[in-house]
Amino acid sequence: MSDQTQEQGTSQPRRVVVVGAGMAGVQTAVALREQGFAGDVTLIGAEPHQPYDRPPLSKAVLLGKAEGSAFDVDFEALGLELRLGREALAVRPEAHVLDTSAGPVPYDVLVLATGAEPIRLPGAEGVPGVHLLRTLDDAERLRPVLAEQHDVVVVGAGWIGAEFATAAREAGCAVTVVEAADRPLAGAVPAEVAAPMTAWYADSGAELRTHTRVERVEPGAVVLDDGSRLSAGAVVVGIGARPATAWLAGSGIELGERGEVLADDRLRTSVPDVYAVGDCASFPSGRYGERLLVHHWDNALQGPRTVAANVVGLTPAVYDPVPYFWSEQFGRFVQYAGHHTAADTLLWRGEPSGPAWTVCWLREGRLVALLAVGRPRDLAQGRRLIEAGAVMDPELLADPARPLKAATA
């Protein structure tokens, strides 16, 4: 990978351009100022809205409890230039130019923070009443659906599907969730961990249909692959997201199999003076021994600090966090830290039929991940233990009455 000119330490770049005005982009701009960068910082966003946070969209904004979720950042006071309503079209690395819908923008350093875009349901585009939930405009279109208590069909029982179903039930809508896999969160957690979550849907009054695919969507109805027909005043699609990187074709910036920018351990891309951060990029994790693509809020918060440190160039910074995310669904607060795919042991703390429990994953005796339902103390202590590579005593760890930090070997 090419050396980045900003690491030479002799002088800082004069102008940093950040593409993407979501959490990762905004935090990169802020972190640059916090770490002493004195040059020009330009933040380019495709949406016309003042930059905003996404998690409230599936909660307070959707339910009409908040009008928006704009970041509490004084861009003017920080000397950050906002250029909104401008779509990124291409990068010309040799010329150090970003092409946008409003014309070319030169840069010394470019930071890619374009996030991810929701996967659309094939055949459903253009059908009235079909919605995604990713942007502020999406949430505002869905708000009257909930206010009028329409029958809602949610396609996909992942994190976003569960969160929307939770909000729709809270609003008094009849909700049916359709999932092609055999369980909710099939791509995120093992079957035995997802099993107790299945009951959460019925407990909330939502119907969950697994092993079920959508055959087609019609105005006012969803037809399933078994021939059954669901009445639907609205259809909300939550079947995943992919990195928003198609616009980088031909730039020479290397992409991975999942369409993400392949960043190195300092979040540099394969071309000089270009970084990538947040949902659009993967990075090699020394901690877990594999490349991680993390589509969660905390990654978009932490990565920018590493980018800023490397742009400023005072102390080279390596990015290898313990991934973390949370979800509020069906009256439960679910938190996850770490990465469990290479674990060799799974332990439970508490009864999964109860209101609060934790699952811990170990690899060669060391805690590598945990999922906590209603046990925030487990999560806080476990996250620190994962960072420390702590060896755990399995018998002590399985005792939910014992603080997790007291279960080290």
Side-chain angles (χ1 to χ4, degrees):
M1 181 167 290
S2 301
D3 290 335
Q4 306 286 297
T5 58
Q6 61 268 25
E7 286 190 358
Q8 295 172 0
T10 56
S11 63
Q12 290 186 1
R14 294 185 304 278
R15 185 179 195 186
V16 177
V17 174
V18 182
V19 190
M23 171 61 80
V26 168
Q27 289 301 320
T28 297
V30 171
L32 283 166
R33 290 294 188 239
E34 289 177 342
Q35 297 189 37
F37 180 73
D40 295 336
V41 179
T42 300
L43 191 63
I44 294 176
E47 295 182 55
H49 309 291
Q50 189 77 1
Y52 61 88
D53 204 4
R54 294 191 188 278
L57 299 185
S58 61
K59 306 172 184 73
V61 175
L62 192 61
L63 290 168
K65 298 178 180 179
E67 287 303 313
S69 55
F71 291 115
D72 185 17
V73 174
D74 191 333
F75 294 96
E76 184 176 356
L78 289 173
L80 304 174
E81 180 188 12
L82 285 180
R83 297 189 184 183
L84 304 176
R86 303 187 180 199
E87 185 179 358
L89 301 177
V91 178
R92 289 179 279 149
E94 299 82 1
H96 278 61
V97 169
L98 169 74
D99 289 318
T100 77
S101 57
V105 179
Y107 66 83
D108 292 320
V109 171
L110 180 68
V111 181
L112 307 176
T114 47
E117 54 194 7
I119 297 172
R120 298 179 182 273
L121 185 65
E125 290 198 45
V127 178
V130 176
H131 300 264
L132 299 168
L133 181 51
R134 180 72 181 179
T135 68
L136 180 60
D137 290 340
D138 292 337
E140 290 180 345
R141 281 189 288 266
L142 276 165
R143 199 186 315 192
V145 170
L146 271 58
E148 295 164 15
Q149 298 185 333
H150 287 288
D151 292 348
V152 176
V153 173
V154 180
V155 183
W159 298 112
I160 192 66
E163 290 186 358
F164 179 80
T166 298
R169 285 299 300 139
E170 185 176 335
C173 300
V175 178
T176 302
V177 181
V178 177
E179 171 57 53
D182 61 351
R183 62 187 188 274
L185 299 175
V189 297
E192 60 188 300
V193 178
M197 299 176 173
T198 302
W200 298 355
Y201 288 79
D203 291 347
S204 75
E207 181 183 2
L208 173 63
R209 295 197 183 191
T210 57
H211 293 288
T212 304
R213 293 184 179 276
V214 173
E215 181 69 29
R216 65 182 182 276
V217 179
E218 302 172 351
V222 174
V223 180
L224 305 178
D225 58 358
D226 62 3
S228 58
R229 186 183 186 89
L230 303 176
S231 174
V235 178
V236 177
V237 179
I239 56 175
R242 61 169 62 94
T245 58
W247 66 282
L248 294 171
S251 67
I253 296 171
E254 188 176 358
L255 303 181
E257 294 180 356
R258 296 164 289 185
E260 84 281 15
V261 178
L262 294 177
D264 70 0
D265 62 0
R266 296 185 190 176
L267 300 181
R268 301 173 298 188
T269 72
S270 59
V271 304
D273 304 320
V274 181
Y275 289 83
V277 66
D279 290 3
C280 71
S282 65
F283 57 90
S285 170
R287 187 190 310 277
Y288 292 106
E290 62 181 282
R291 180 169 284 275
L292 301 183
L293 176 60
V294 181
H295 280 184
H296 292 297
W297 185 91
D298 191 66
N299 179 52
L301 177 66
Q302 292 199 60
R305 298 167 188 158
T306 297
V307 171
N310 288 318
V311 169
V312 173
L314 299 178
T315 304
V318 169
Y319 190 59
D320 195 9
V322 172
Y324 166 74
F325 71 90
W326 81 96
S327 176
E328 296 175 64
Q329 49 184 272
F330 308 116
R332 295 165 175 85
F333 187 45
V334 183
Q335 295 172 284
Y336 178 96
H339 184 64
H340 69 266
T341 56
D344 53 37
T345 303
L346 184 153
L347 291 174
W348 291 84
R349 287 168 56 81
E351 292 297 325
S353 59
W357 46 269
T358 297
V359 173
C360 298
W361 285 272
L362 305 178
R363 179 177 172 83
E364 298 176 351
R366 298 182 187 276
L367 187 66
V368 294
L370 81 160
L371 182 144
V373 176
R375 291 180 66 97
R377 184 173 296 178
D378 276 5
L379 189 287
Q381 294 179 7
R383 191 175 182 182
R384 290 192 289 269
L385 291 167
I386 295 169
E387 289 174 346
V391 177
M392 310 301 294
D393 182 316
E395 186 175 342
L396 299 179
L397 186 62
D399 181 359
R402 183 182 297 271
L404 203 144
K405 64 182 179 181
T408 54

